[in-house]
Amino acid sequence: MSTTMSAGRQADSDRRRQRVVKAISAAAQKGFRITVSGIARQAGVDRTFLYRHRDLLALVHAAELEPAERDPASGGSAVSSASLQADLANAQARTVRLSARIQQLERRLSQELGEQAWRESGLGAPTDIEVLQRTITRLEQENVELTEALEESQADLAAAREANRELTRTLNQRGEQSGPGTPARSNTR
């Protein structure tokens, strides 16, 4: 039963979609002003139907921006207010983008001119500063590696000293156990 209801709803939705498409093309052919409310009214659907079906809404908005069909009686092409508004919005957006780009280029030019004046004045950093910075980085890395090697060597030395002490204690204990006449070995470091 639910599949029958689902199929019925789908068929109803398809019929309404077809009415909307026909209303859009009829309004475009007759040169009427195309709006969401007008198309919904002409197709006999609620505006929310168009907002729930984004593809239909996109068709309405695209038709709004299309220039009106050519009227053979007038001999010229009519320009819709929606297309003029779209052109104006596009021009304004382009102006904003170009203004931002100009500001970016002006900042970059100012930085380049400032750096050039700094170098030419002789007050700036030497031109081989990059080489010096690479050398500093390399030397810092070598310092880190040598520090790690030193710490490792110190740990090895400490372990060897501890092993030597343990061996000396063991030898001294054996000497004490053998008797009073046996000479004990001394711990020499």
Side-chain angles (χ1 to χ4, degrees):
M1 181 171 185
S2 65
T3 57
T4 307
M5 287 178 69
S6 178
R9 280 191 223 132
Q10 183 62 39
D12 180 52
S13 180
D14 290 342
R15 284 191 298 273
R16 286 194 271 171
R17 289 175 67 82
Q18 289 173 359
R19 289 196 315 252
V20 169
V21 171
K22 286 180 184 176
I24 292 171
S25 49
Q29 286 176 354
K30 293 178 183 176
F32 292 152
R33 184 167 178 248
I34 298 175
T35 63
V36 173
S37 298
I39 295 299
R41 191 174 29 257
Q42 194 174 1
V45 297
D46 193 49
R47 285 182 308 176
T48 58
F49 179 79
L50 294 174
Y51 289 111
R52 280 193 313 262
H53 296 87
R54 296 289 182 183
D55 60 326
L56 293 176
L57 187 62
L59 285 174
V60 172
H61 288 309
E64 283 178 332
L65 298 177
E66 288 290 320
E69 294 283 326
R70 226 180 238 211
D71 185 9
S74 68
S77 65
V79 177
S80 70
S81 64
S83 69
L84 291 176
Q85 288 175 347
D87 289 345
L88 178 61
N90 288 336
Q92 288 172 336
R94 185 170 189 265
T95 301
V96 168
R97 284 192 311 272
L98 290 175
S99 294
R101 179 68 176 151
I102 288 170
Q103 288 176 355
Q104 178 189 23
L105 291 173
E106 285 174 345
R107 280 192 305 271
R108 195 164 147 202
L109 177 62
S110 175
Q111 288 172 347
E112 290 294 324
L113 289 174
E115 287 176 16
Q116 181 182 1
W118 182 254
R119 281 190 305 271
E120 289 175 1
S121 70
L123 298 173
T127 55
D128 60 347
I129 195 162
E130 290 178 21
V131 173
L132 294 174
Q133 287 176 338
R134 283 193 297 252
T135 303
I136 289 170
T137 303
R138 182 181 51 81
L139 291 173
E140 286 174 344
Q141 182 62 33
E142 286 178 14
N143 188 23
V144 168
E145 291 170 0
L146 289 173
T147 302
E148 289 173 356
L150 177 62
E151 288 172 357
E152 190 176 315
S153 296
Q154 287 175 340
D156 289 346
L157 179 61
R161 283 181 178 163
E162 183 59 34
N164 189 23
R165 283 188 202 109
E166 187 63 33
L167 182 61
T168 304
R169 267 190 234 120
T170 304
L171 288 174
N172 285 340
Q173 286 174 355
R174 281 189 191 165
E176 289 172 4
Q177 290 174 356
S178 351
T182 310
R185 295 186 185 165
S186 66
N187 182 6
T188 57
R189 259 176 69 183

